Amino acid sequence: MSKTVENTLLERRSIRRYEYDPVKAEDMEFIYAAIRNTPTSYNGQQFSVIDITDRDIKEKLYEITGQKQIKTSSHFMVFVADYHKMSVAWAAKGVAPSSFPRTVDGYTVGVIDASLALMSAIVAAESRGLGTCPIGYVRTADPEAVSRLLKLPEGVCLVCGLAIGVPREMPDLKPKQPEQLLIHRDTYDTSDEAELLTEFDRHITEYNATRAGGSSDNDWISHITDYYREGEKYDMLAADRAQGFLLDK
């Protein structure tokens, strides 16, 4: 059953437990079509998606990441920045290649394109009553191993994963920052930031203490900072350079 645009966007939540039922073929075709119609920089379509249903590959990705929803979802999609296609196109037409993919802006364009495609897939899947869960850890846990497993050629690098399936749970909606912290009008507004962020931290603490399906004593500020400190350990620059990105200015 299709949902309204409003319900699809405002009731979205990450689903980590799925039924064994496969996603219907017509629903996947709709998701593919939404991905293909994603807006991209220059209409260059600097992204690709690997749609994984093979049980062995999903098991191996689970072993690398520890994210159970990868192997229990019906489909696990991996969104990648992709300039390999352009290298093939340049060679096929005899056009001198550009070094743009090796620059910071080239990398950024590829990541943005793949991220927009990810959101297209999320909205399409959610509108059909399916559950989704973005998994960024597929990019950071062991990018070299994941790239080898998925046979990513040079010019292709990991951006994010997405589990899709028939939901077995409906967790509480997580609180989001107030509009004043997220939506600025005309210029960046720094007024009342400390007060608003402290209040949001209290709100998250209360939510975590009472949420259905498992409570915790996590706050927001310290908890997110712990994620950042974990992220400081990742050597993503080396991993992306190994795939041909970020080699120039």
Side-chain angles (χ1 to χ4, degrees), residues 61 64-65 138 142-152 158:
L61 286 172
I64 292 170
T65 64
V138 74
D142 190 340
E144 293 88 352
V146 174
S147 296
R148 287 195 301 271
L149 178 64
L150 302 184
K151 300 180 180 179
L152 302 186
L158 300 163

Side-chain angles (χ1 to χ4, degrees), residues 172 202-212 214-219:
D172 295 338
R202 285 195 292 268
H203 190 187
I204 289 289
T205 302
E206 292 171 2
Y207 164 81
N208 286 332
T210 59
R211 68 179 180 178
S215 60
S216 75
D217 59 359
N218 289 334
D219 67 348

Side-chain angles (χ1 to χ4, degrees), residues 18-79:
Y18 299 96
E19 302 289 356
Y20 292 112
D21 313 53
V23 173
K24 296 177 182 177
E26 56 265 35
D27 288 337
M28 289 308 305
E29 288 302 321
F30 173 60
I31 293 169
Y32 296 155
I35 289 171
R36 290 184 60 238
N37 199 40
T38 295
T40 61
S41 187
Y42 322 117
N43 193 33
Q45 301 160 72
Q46 289 89 190
F47 78 93
S48 289
V49 183
I50 298 95
D51 181 18
I52 302 166
T53 57
D54 183 276
R55 182 176 297 275
D56 289 339
I57 295 177
K58 291 201 292 182
E59 285 283 354
K60 289 174 182 175
L61 286 172
Y62 165 67
E63 291 171 6
I64 292 170
T65 64
Q67 301 293 302
K68 188 175 182 180
Q69 58 269 40
I70 290 177
K71 65 177 181 178
T72 59
S73 60
S74 177
H75 291 252
F76 184 66
M77 290 182 156
V78 177
F79 291 75

Side-chain angles (χ1 to χ4, degrees), residues 58-112:
K58 291 201 292 182
E59 285 283 354
K60 289 174 182 175
L61 286 172
Y62 165 67
E63 291 171 6
I64 292 170
T65 64
Q67 301 293 302
K68 188 175 182 180
Q69 58 269 40
I70 290 177
K71 65 177 181 178
T72 59
S73 60
S74 177
H75 291 252
F76 184 66
M77 290 182 156
V78 177
F79 291 75
V80 297
D82 187 354
Y83 287 99
H84 168 73
K85 293 182 289 187
M86 280 307 303
S87 67
V88 173
W90 287 326
K93 197 165 183 177
V95 173
S98 166
S99 62
F100 180 68
R102 298 157 58 96
T103 67
V104 171
D105 193 44
Y107 172 78
T108 303
V109 164
V111 170
I112 291 172

